[in-house]
Amino acid sequence: EEVIGRSLSEVFPGMKKFGLVDALRQVWETGQPADFPERFYHDQRIQGWRENKIYKLPTGGVVTVYNDITRRKQAEEERGAMELRLQRAQKMEAIGLMAGGIAHDLNNILSAIIGYPELLLMQLSPESELHKPLKAIKEAGERAAAVVEDLLTVARGVASARSNADMNVLIREYLDSPEFYQLKDLYPYVRFETRLADTLPMIECSPVHVKKCLMNLATNGAEAIESTGAITFHTTTFEADSQWCKEQGLD
């Protein structure tokens, strides 16, 4: 009752855009049946994948018979997505194996870069002019070792070493690093200030990654300051009561 007496374009208003009208006209003119390739049809009422076969009847009329292949197409898309995920997993596995070999070689090299300065520092007095550059070499080697650890974390899912740390100490160590001095040279118009609590509870973390976070925050802050300004490293303790949690959507 919905379709009797109505034209095809009224029942399926997306027909012209779908391209089936031209195919119907061609079959009517030639009399030869045709397969209309699978396409996605949609209008305000229905949508889905359709596959059409068109015939001309002996009476002169033209009919089209379609199959709704939406489920099949969805299954094909899901299978394709699964295959893509499998390929990615296989690539990550290969990268993990390669990363393991690279990490082994790099760690052998870094052991000398870290170890020899440490042996020399044990033999030098703190007042020696060589003390500071040797310490910088040792710390640079340790940061390079942390990069190797990051590579393994991403490629093989190896968890980073965690330990108890004082946030104030981590901030001070970052502010005494070559990366921070380089940042200050790049942005001389930015002031870097600290407002650290007298005492803080220890936190369990990966110190290397926390200092990387501090570096990224400081870099982003400096880049965001167009003229003069200040970046403050501030630590404090705060007790979150139920009202504060509710206001923050954490209840």
Side-chain angles (χ1 to χ4, degrees):
E1 293 179 357
E2 267 189 67
V3 301
I4 292 175
R6 300 175 65 190
S7 68
L8 197 61
S9 59
E10 288 179 310
V11 179
F12 299 104
M15 285 280 293
K16 189 170 184 180
K17 188 176 180 180
F18 187 60
L20 190 58
V21 173
D22 293 335
L24 289 168
R25 184 179 292 112
Q26 181 181 353
V27 171
W28 179 73
E29 290 174 350
T30 63
Q32 297 297 317
D35 292 330
F36 189 73
E38 55 189 44
R39 290 185 185 175
F40 186 78
Y41 175 86
H42 66 94
D43 58 34
Q44 295 179 347
R45 187 170 58 92
I46 60 172
Q47 63 178 9
W49 286 88
R50 302 289 187 265
E51 185 180 54
N52 288 265
K53 294 184 181 296
I54 309 169
Y55 307 93
K56 185 173 184 179
L57 302 177
T59 57
V62 178
V63 298
T64 177
V65 180
Y66 76 82
N67 290 327
D68 184 344
I69 58 172
T70 304
R71 289 186 179 179
R72 192 190 80 194
K73 294 294 290 186
Q74 289 174 343
E76 290 175 356
E77 290 175 359
E78 291 174 2
R79 185 168 61 251
M82 289 179 64
E83 290 175 352
L84 183 60
R85 287 196 294 269
L86 177 60
Q87 290 173 3
R88 287 176 179 171
Q90 291 172 339
K91 286 180 181 179
M92 288 303 297
E93 184 179 0
I95 290 172
L97 293 172
M98 181 180 67
I102 294 173
H104 178 74
D105 293 338
L106 287 176
N107 282 330
N108 287 338
I109 298 170
L110 290 171
S111 61
I113 296 175
I114 298 171
Y116 283 117
E118 190 170 7
L119 292 173
L120 291 171
L121 286 169
M122 292 171 63
Q123 301 174 31
L124 290 174
S125 66
E127 292 78 19
S128 173
E129 294 181 356
L130 295 175
H131 193 277
K132 189 172 182 179
L134 285 172
K135 185 179 178 183
I137 294 172
K138 176 178 174 293
E139 291 175 351
E142 290 172 346
R143 288 192 298 274
V147 172
V148 174
E149 185 179 349
D150 281 345
L151 178 64
L152 289 174
T153 300
V154 173
R156 302 177 66 181
V158 178
S160 301
R162 300 170 68 89
S163 60
N164 292 329
D166 186 329
M167 192 67 194
N168 287 345
V169 173
L170 297 180
I171 291 174
R172 293 190 186 102
E173 287 178 353
Y174 166 66
L175 295 178
D176 193 35
S177 67
E179 289 85 358
F180 175 70
Y181 292 128
Q182 184 179 14
L183 183 66
K184 286 182 66 177
D185 291 339
L186 288 173
Y187 301 95
Y189 50 83
V190 178
R191 300 190 317 278
F192 294 90
E193 303 172 351
T194 58
R195 195 160 75 247
L196 307 180
D198 294 334
T199 57
L200 285 177
M202 302 291 282
I203 61 172
E204 184 184 5
C205 66
S206 169
V208 170
H209 289 94
V210 171
K211 283 188 278 189
K212 284 185 179 179
C213 290
L214 293 171
M215 180 183 68
N216 291 335
L217 289 170
T219 302
N220 292 341
E223 290 175 350
I225 297 175
E226 297 181 356
S227 57
T228 58
I231 294 174
T232 303
F233 294 87
H234 179 205
T235 60
T236 186
T237 56
F238 174 76
E239 185 174 348
D241 57 21
S242 58
Q243 180 62 30
W244 184 88
C245 291
K246 187 175 181 181
E247 292 173 354
Q248 304 301 318
L250 301 175
D251 53 337

Short mmCIF file of all heavy atoms in Angstrom, two decimals, residues 75-130:
data_model
loop_
_atom_site.label_atom_id
_atom_site.label_comp_id
_atom_site.label_asym_id
_atom_site.label_seq_id
_atom_site.Cartn_x
_atom_site.Cartn_y
_atom_site.Cartn_z
N ALA A 75 30.47 -7.40 7.48
CA ALA A 75 31.36 -8.49 7.86
C ALA A 75 32.72 -8.37 7.16
O ALA A 75 33.77 -8.62 7.76
CB ALA A 75 30.71 -9.83 7.53
N GLU A 76 32.69 -7.97 5.89
CA GLU A 76 33.94 -7.78 5.15
C GLU A 76 34.78 -6.66 5.76
O GLU A 76 36.01 -6.77 5.88
CB GLU A 76 33.64 -7.47 3.68
CG GLU A 76 33.08 -8.66 2.90
CD GLU A 76 32.67 -8.29 1.48
OE1 GLU A 76 32.76 -7.07 1.15
OE2 GLU A 76 32.29 -9.17 0.71
N GLU A 77 34.10 -5.56 6.15
CA GLU A 77 34.82 -4.44 6.76
C GLU A 77 35.43 -4.85 8.10
O GLU A 77 36.56 -4.49 8.42
CB GLU A 77 33.87 -3.26 6.94
CG GLU A 77 33.45 -2.60 5.63
CD GLU A 77 32.41 -1.52 5.83
OE1 GLU A 77 32.00 -1.30 7.00
OE2 GLU A 77 32.00 -0.89 4.84
N GLU A 78 34.65 -5.62 8.89
CA GLU A 78 35.17 -6.09 10.18
C GLU A 78 36.36 -7.03 9.98
O GLU A 78 37.34 -6.96 10.71
CB GLU A 78 34.05 -6.79 10.96
CG GLU A 78 32.96 -5.84 11.45
CD GLU A 78 31.81 -6.58 12.08
OE1 GLU A 78 31.87 -7.82 12.18
OE2 GLU A 78 30.83 -5.93 12.49
N ARG A 79 36.24 -7.90 8.98
CA ARG A 79 37.34 -8.82 8.70
C ARG A 79 38.58 -8.04 8.24
O ARG A 79 39.71 -8.34 8.64
CB ARG A 79 36.93 -9.84 7.64
CG ARG A 79 38.00 -10.90 7.38
CD ARG A 79 37.48 -12.05 6.55
NE ARG A 79 37.01 -11.64 5.25
CZ ARG A 79 35.72 -11.60 4.88
NH1 ARG A 79 34.78 -11.98 5.74
NH2 ARG A 79 35.37 -11.20 3.68
N GLY A 80 38.36 -7.03 7.40
CA GLY A 80 39.48 -6.20 6.95
C GLY A 80 40.14 -5.47 8.11
O GLY A 80 41.37 -5.35 8.16
N ALA A 81 39.30 -4.96 9.04
CA ALA A 81 39.85 -4.26 10.21
C ALA A 81 40.65 -5.22 11.08
O ALA A 81 41.72 -4.86 11.61
CB ALA A 81 38.73 -3.61 11.01
N MET A 82 40.14 -6.45 11.24
CA MET A 82 40.87 -7.45 12.03
C MET A 82 42.19 -7.81 11.38
O MET A 82 43.21 -7.96 12.05
CB MET A 82 40.00 -8.70 12.21
CG MET A 82 38.80 -8.50 13.13
SD MET A 82 37.80 -9.99 13.29
CE MET A 82 38.94 -11.10 14.07
N GLU A 83 42.18 -7.96 10.06
CA GLU A 83 43.43 -8.28 9.34
C GLU A 83 44.44 -7.14 9.50
O GLU A 83 45.63 -7.38 9.66
CB GLU A 83 43.12 -8.54 7.86
CG GLU A 83 42.36 -9.83 7.61
CD GLU A 83 41.98 -10.01 6.15
OE1 GLU A 83 42.18 -9.04 5.37
OE2 GLU A 83 41.47 -11.09 5.79
N LEU A 84 43.93 -5.89 9.45
CA LEU A 84 44.82 -4.74 9.62
C LEU A 84 45.42 -4.72 11.01
O LEU A 84 46.62 -4.45 11.18
CB LEU A 84 44.04 -3.45 9.35
CG LEU A 84 44.84 -2.15 9.39
CD1 LEU A 84 45.95 -2.17 8.35
CD2 LEU A 84 43.93 -0.95 9.17
N ARG A 85 44.59 -5.01 12.03
CA ARG A 85 45.10 -5.06 13.40
C ARG A 85 46.14 -6.16 13.56
O ARG A 85 47.14 -6.00 14.25
CB ARG A 85 43.94 -5.25 14.38
CG ARG A 85 43.07 -4.02 14.57
CD ARG A 85 42.21 -4.15 15.81
NE ARG A 85 41.24 -5.22 15.68
CZ ARG A 85 40.01 -5.06 15.20
NH1 ARG A 85 39.62 -3.87 14.79
NH2 ARG A 85 39.17 -6.08 15.13
N LEU A 86 45.89 -7.31 12.90
CA LEU A 86 46.85 -8.41 12.96
C LEU A 86 48.17 -8.02 12.31
O LEU A 86 49.25 -8.32 12.84
CB LEU A 86 46.26 -9.64 12.26
CG LEU A 86 47.16 -10.88 12.18
CD1 LEU A 86 47.54 -11.36 13.58
CD2 LEU A 86 46.48 -12.00 11.40
N GLN A 87 48.10 -7.34 11.16
CA GLN A 87 49.32 -6.89 10.48
C GLN A 87 50.09 -5.92 11.36
O GLN A 87 51.32 -5.99 11.43
CB GLN A 87 48.96 -6.24 9.14
CG GLN A 87 48.44 -7.22 8.10
CD GLN A 87 47.94 -6.52 6.85
OE1 GLN A 87 48.03 -5.29 6.73
NE2 GLN A 87 47.41 -7.28 5.91
N ARG A 88 49.36 -5.02 12.02
CA ARG A 88 50.03 -4.06 12.91
C ARG A 88 50.69 -4.78 14.09
O ARG A 88 51.80 -4.43 14.49
CB ARG A 88 49.02 -3.04 13.42
CG ARG A 88 48.57 -2.03 12.36
CD ARG A 88 47.50 -1.12 12.90
NE ARG A 88 47.10 -0.13 11.89
CZ ARG A 88 46.06 0.69 12.04
NH1 ARG A 88 45.33 0.63 13.14
NH2 ARG A 88 45.76 1.56 11.09
N ALA A 89 49.98 -5.77 14.62
CA ALA A 89 50.55 -6.53 15.74
C ALA A 89 51.81 -7.26 15.30
O ALA A 89 52.81 -7.31 16.04
CB ALA A 89 49.52 -7.51 16.28
N GLN A 90 51.79 -7.84 14.09
CA GLN A 90 52.96 -8.54 13.58
C GLN A 90 54.13 -7.58 13.36
O GLN A 90 55.29 -7.90 13.63
CB GLN A 90 52.61 -9.27 12.28
CG GLN A 90 51.67 -10.45 12.50
CD GLN A 90 51.17 -11.05 11.19
OE1 GLN A 90 51.19 -10.39 10.14
NE2 GLN A 90 50.72 -12.30 11.24
N LYS A 91 53.80 -6.36 12.87
CA LYS A 91 54.84 -5.35 12.68
C LYS A 91 55.45 -4.95 14.02
O LYS A 91 56.67 -4.81 14.14
CB LYS A 91 54.27 -4.12 11.97
CG LYS A 91 53.98 -4.33 10.49
CD LYS A 91 53.43 -3.07 9.87
CE LYS A 91 53.13 -3.27 8.39
NZ LYS A 91 52.55 -2.05 7.78
N MET A 92 54.58 -4.75 15.03
CA MET A 92 55.07 -4.37 16.35
C MET A 92 55.94 -5.46 16.94
O MET A 92 56.94 -5.18 17.62
CB MET A 92 53.89 -4.07 17.28
CG MET A 92 53.18 -2.76 16.97
SD MET A 92 54.27 -1.33 17.01
CE MET A 92 54.78 -1.33 18.71
N GLU A 93 55.57 -6.72 16.68
CA GLU A 93 56.39 -7.83 17.17
C GLU A 93 57.77 -7.81 16.52
O GLU A 93 58.79 -8.00 17.18
CB GLU A 93 55.68 -9.16 16.89
CG GLU A 93 56.42 -10.37 17.45
CD GLU A 93 55.69 -11.67 17.17
OE1 GLU A 93 54.62 -11.63 16.53
OE2 GLU A 93 56.20 -12.73 17.59
N ALA A 94 57.79 -7.54 15.20
CA ALA A 94 59.06 -7.46 14.50
C ALA A 94 59.89 -6.29 15.01
O ALA A 94 61.10 -6.39 15.20
CB ALA A 94 58.82 -7.33 12.99
N ILE A 95 59.21 -5.15 15.24
CA ILE A 95 59.91 -3.97 15.77
C ILE A 95 60.46 -4.27 17.16
O ILE A 95 61.56 -3.85 17.53
CB ILE A 95 58.96 -2.76 15.81
CG1 ILE A 95 58.66 -2.29 14.38
CG2 ILE A 95 59.57 -1.61 16.62
CD1 ILE A 95 57.58 -1.23 14.32
N GLY A 96 59.68 -5.03 17.95
CA GLY A 96 60.13 -5.38 19.28
C GLY A 96 61.40 -6.22 19.26
O GLY A 96 62.32 -6.00 20.05
N LEU A 97 61.45 -7.18 18.34
CA LEU A 97 62.66 -8.01 18.22
C LEU A 97 63.86 -7.17 17.80
O LEU A 97 64.97 -7.32 18.32
CB LEU A 97 62.41 -9.13 17.20
CG LEU A 97 61.38 -10.19 17.61
CD1 LEU A 97 61.09 -11.12 16.44
CD2 LEU A 97 61.86 -10.98 18.82
N MET A 98 63.62 -6.25 16.83
CA MET A 98 64.70 -5.39 16.39
C MET A 98 65.14 -4.45 17.52
O MET A 98 66.34 -4.22 17.72
CB MET A 98 64.24 -4.57 15.18
CG MET A 98 65.31 -3.64 14.62
SD MET A 98 64.71 -2.70 13.19
CE MET A 98 63.50 -1.65 14.00
N ALA A 99 64.15 -3.91 18.26
CA ALA A 99 64.47 -2.99 19.35
C ALA A 99 65.29 -3.67 20.43
O ALA A 99 66.18 -3.06 21.02
CB ALA A 99 63.18 -2.42 19.95
N GLY A 100 64.99 -4.95 20.68
CA GLY A 100 65.76 -5.68 21.68
C GLY A 100 67.22 -5.78 21.30
O GLY A 100 68.11 -5.60 22.14
N GLY A 101 67.48 -6.05 20.01
CA GLY A 101 68.87 -6.13 19.56
C GLY A 101 69.57 -4.78 19.62
O GLY A 101 70.73 -4.68 20.04
N ILE A 102 68.84 -3.72 19.20
CA ILE A 102 69.43 -2.37 19.25
C ILE A 102 69.72 -1.98 20.69
O ILE A 102 70.78 -1.42 20.99
CB ILE A 102 68.47 -1.36 18.58
CG1 ILE A 102 68.36 -1.65 17.08
CG2 ILE A 102 68.95 0.07 18.81
CD1 ILE A 102 67.32 -0.81 16.37
N ALA A 103 68.76 -2.26 21.58
CA ALA A 103 68.94 -1.89 22.98
C ALA A 103 70.15 -2.60 23.58
O ALA A 103 70.91 -2.01 24.36
CB ALA A 103 67.67 -2.25 23.77
N HIS A 104 70.34 -3.85 23.22
CA HIS A 104 71.50 -4.61 23.73
C HIS A 104 72.80 -3.95 23.30
O HIS A 104 73.71 -3.74 24.11
CB HIS A 104 71.43 -6.04 23.23
CG HIS A 104 72.59 -6.89 23.67
ND1 HIS A 104 72.73 -7.35 24.96
CD2 HIS A 104 73.68 -7.34 22.97
CE1 HIS A 104 73.84 -8.05 25.05
NE2 HIS A 104 74.44 -8.07 23.86
N ASP A 105 72.89 -3.57 22.01
CA ASP A 105 74.11 -2.94 21.50
C ASP A 105 74.32 -1.57 22.14
O ASP A 105 75.45 -1.22 22.52
CB ASP A 105 74.04 -2.80 19.98
CG ASP A 105 74.04 -4.15 19.28
OD1 ASP A 105 74.51 -5.13 19.90
OD2 ASP A 105 73.58 -4.25 18.14
N LEU A 106 73.25 -0.79 22.25
CA LEU A 106 73.38 0.55 22.83
C LEU A 106 73.77 0.49 24.31
O LEU A 106 74.56 1.30 24.78
CB LEU A 106 72.07 1.33 22.66
CG LEU A 106 71.74 1.81 21.24
CD1 LEU A 106 70.38 2.48 21.21
CD2 LEU A 106 72.81 2.77 20.74
N ASN A 107 73.19 -0.45 25.02
CA ASN A 107 73.53 -0.57 26.44
C ASN A 107 75.00 -0.93 26.65
O ASN A 107 75.63 -0.47 27.61
CB ASN A 107 72.63 -1.62 27.11
CG ASN A 107 71.25 -1.08 27.41
OD1 ASN A 107 71.09 0.11 27.65
ND2 ASN A 107 70.26 -1.95 27.42
N ASN A 108 75.56 -1.73 25.74
CA ASN A 108 76.99 -2.04 25.83
C ASN A 108 77.83 -0.77 25.65
O ASN A 108 78.83 -0.57 26.36
CB ASN A 108 77.37 -3.06 24.76
CG ASN A 108 76.85 -4.45 25.09
OD1 ASN A 108 76.58 -4.76 26.24
ND2 ASN A 108 76.69 -5.28 24.08
N ILE A 109 77.41 0.08 24.71
CA ILE A 109 78.13 1.34 24.48
C ILE A 109 77.95 2.29 25.66
O ILE A 109 78.90 2.92 26.14
CB ILE A 109 77.65 2.00 23.17
CG1 ILE A 109 77.93 1.08 21.98
CG2 ILE A 109 78.30 3.36 22.97
CD1 ILE A 109 77.26 1.53 20.69
N LEU A 110 76.71 2.38 26.16
CA LEU A 110 76.40 3.33 27.23
C LEU A 110 77.04 2.93 28.55
O LEU A 110 77.30 3.79 29.40
CB LEU A 110 74.88 3.44 27.41
CG LEU A 110 74.15 4.14 26.27
CD1 LEU A 110 72.63 3.99 26.43
CD2 LEU A 110 74.52 5.61 26.22
N SER A 111 77.30 1.65 28.73
CA SER A 111 77.93 1.23 29.98
C SER A 111 79.30 1.88 30.14
O SER A 111 79.70 2.25 31.25
CB SER A 111 78.05 -0.29 30.02
OG SER A 111 78.87 -0.76 28.95
N ALA A 112 80.01 2.07 29.03
CA ALA A 112 81.32 2.74 29.10
C ALA A 112 81.14 4.24 29.30
O ALA A 112 81.87 4.87 30.08
CB ALA A 112 82.10 2.47 27.82
N ILE A 113 80.15 4.84 28.62
CA ILE A 113 79.91 6.28 28.73
C ILE A 113 79.51 6.65 30.15
O ILE A 113 79.88 7.71 30.66
CB ILE A 113 78.83 6.73 27.72
CG1 ILE A 113 79.34 6.50 26.29
CG2 ILE A 113 78.45 8.18 27.93
CD1 ILE A 113 78.31 6.78 25.22
N ILE A 114 78.77 5.77 30.81
CA ILE A 114 78.35 6.03 32.19
C ILE A 114 79.40 5.58 33.18
O ILE A 114 79.68 6.27 34.17
CB ILE A 114 77.01 5.31 32.47
CG1 ILE A 114 75.91 5.86 31.55
CG2 ILE A 114 76.60 5.48 33.94
CD1 ILE A 114 74.61 5.06 31.61
N GLY A 115 80.02 4.43 32.92
CA GLY A 115 80.93 3.82 33.90
C GLY A 115 82.24 4.55 34.06
O GLY A 115 82.69 4.80 35.20
N TYR A 116 82.90 4.93 32.95
CA TYR A 116 84.21 5.57 33.06
C TYR A 116 84.16 6.92 33.77
O TYR A 116 85.00 7.20 34.63
CB TYR A 116 84.86 5.69 31.68
CG TYR A 116 85.45 4.39 31.19
CD1 TYR A 116 84.97 3.76 30.05
CD2 TYR A 116 86.49 3.78 31.89
CE1 TYR A 116 85.50 2.56 29.61
CE2 TYR A 116 87.02 2.57 31.45
CZ TYR A 116 86.52 1.96 30.31
OH TYR A 116 87.05 0.78 29.89
N PRO A 117 83.19 7.79 33.45
CA PRO A 117 83.10 9.04 34.22
C PRO A 117 82.86 8.78 35.71
O PRO A 117 83.39 9.51 36.56
CB PRO A 117 81.92 9.76 33.58
CG PRO A 117 81.85 9.24 32.20
CD PRO A 117 82.25 7.81 32.31
N GLU A 118 82.08 7.75 36.01
CA GLU A 118 81.82 7.44 37.42
C GLU A 118 83.11 7.02 38.14
O GLU A 118 83.37 7.43 39.28
CB GLU A 118 80.77 6.34 37.51
CG GLU A 118 80.25 6.11 38.91
CD GLU A 118 79.04 5.19 38.91
OE1 GLU A 118 78.70 4.62 37.87
OE2 GLU A 118 78.44 5.05 39.99
N LEU A 119 83.95 6.22 37.46
CA LEU A 119 85.23 5.82 38.05
C LEU A 119 86.16 7.02 38.23
O LEU A 119 86.85 7.15 39.25
CB LEU A 119 85.90 4.77 37.17
CG LEU A 119 85.22 3.40 37.10
CD1 LEU A 119 85.90 2.52 36.05
CD2 LEU A 119 85.25 2.71 38.46
N LEU A 120 86.17 7.91 37.25
CA LEU A 120 87.02 9.11 37.34
C LEU A 120 86.54 10.04 38.45
O LEU A 120 87.35 10.64 39.16
CB LEU A 120 87.02 9.84 36.00
CG LEU A 120 87.74 9.11 34.85
CD1 LEU A 120 87.50 9.82 33.53
CD2 LEU A 120 89.23 9.01 35.13
N LEU A 121 85.21 10.16 38.60
CA LEU A 121 84.67 11.03 39.66
C LEU A 121 85.06 10.53 41.04
O LEU A 121 85.24 11.33 41.96
CB LEU A 121 83.15 11.12 39.52
CG LEU A 121 82.63 11.97 38.36
CD1 LEU A 121 81.12 11.77 38.18
CD2 LEU A 121 82.93 13.44 38.58
N MET A 122 85.17 9.21 41.17
CA MET A 122 85.56 8.64 42.47
C MET A 122 87.00 9.02 42.82
O MET A 122 87.37 9.07 44.00
CB MET A 122 85.40 7.13 42.44
CG MET A 122 83.95 6.66 42.34
SD MET A 122 83.80 4.88 42.05
CE MET A 122 84.54 4.24 43.56
N GLN A 123 87.83 9.30 41.82
CA GLN A 123 89.24 9.61 42.05
C GLN A 123 89.52 11.10 42.10
O GLN A 123 90.62 11.52 42.45
CB GLN A 123 90.09 8.97 40.96
CG GLN A 123 89.95 7.45 40.88
CD GLN A 123 90.71 6.87 39.70
OE1 GLN A 123 91.74 7.40 39.28
NE2 GLN A 123 90.20 5.76 39.17
N LEU A 124 88.52 11.93 41.72
CA LEU A 124 88.71 13.37 41.69
C LEU A 124 88.08 14.02 42.92
O LEU A 124 87.08 13.53 43.44
CB LEU A 124 88.08 13.97 40.44
CG LEU A 124 88.76 13.67 39.10
CD1 LEU A 124 87.92 14.21 37.96
CD2 LEU A 124 90.16 14.26 39.04
N SER A 125 88.64 15.11 43.33
CA SER A 125 88.02 15.87 44.42
C SER A 125 86.87 16.69 43.87
O SER A 125 86.89 17.08 42.68
CB SER A 125 89.06 16.79 45.07
OG SER A 125 89.47 17.78 44.13
N PRO A 126 85.88 17.02 44.68
CA PRO A 126 84.74 17.83 44.21
C PRO A 126 85.16 19.19 43.68
O PRO A 126 84.42 19.81 42.91
CB PRO A 126 83.86 17.95 45.46
CG PRO A 126 84.25 16.78 46.31
CD PRO A 126 85.70 16.54 46.06
N GLU A 127 86.35 19.69 44.10
CA GLU A 127 86.81 21.01 43.66
C GLU A 127 87.48 20.97 42.29
O GLU A 127 87.78 22.02 41.70
CB GLU A 127 87.80 21.60 44.67
CG GLU A 127 87.19 21.96 46.02
CD GLU A 127 86.97 20.74 46.89
OE1 GLU A 127 87.61 19.70 46.60
OE2 GLU A 127 86.15 20.82 47.81
N SER A 128 87.70 19.79 41.73
CA SER A 128 88.37 19.69 40.45
C SER A 128 87.54 20.30 39.33
O SER A 128 86.31 20.21 39.31
CB SER A 128 88.66 18.21 40.13
OG SER A 128 89.17 18.09 38.81
N GLU A 129 88.22 20.94 38.36
CA GLU A 129 87.54 21.53 37.21
C GLU A 129 86.90 20.47 36.32
O GLU A 129 85.98 20.76 35.56
CB GLU A 129 88.54 22.36 36.39
CG GLU A 129 89.07 23.59 37.11
CD GLU A 129 90.04 24.37 36.24
OE1 GLU A 129 90.32 23.90 35.12
OE2 GLU A 129 90.48 25.45 36.68
N LEU A 130 87.40 19.26 36.42
CA LEU A 130 86.85 18.17 35.59
C LEU A 130 85.61 17.54 36.20
O LEU A 130 84.93 16.74 35.55
CB LEU A 130 87.91 17.09 35.40
CG LEU A 130 89.16 17.49 34.61
CD1 LEU A 130 90.16 16.34 34.60
CD2 LEU A 130 88.79 17.89 33.19
#
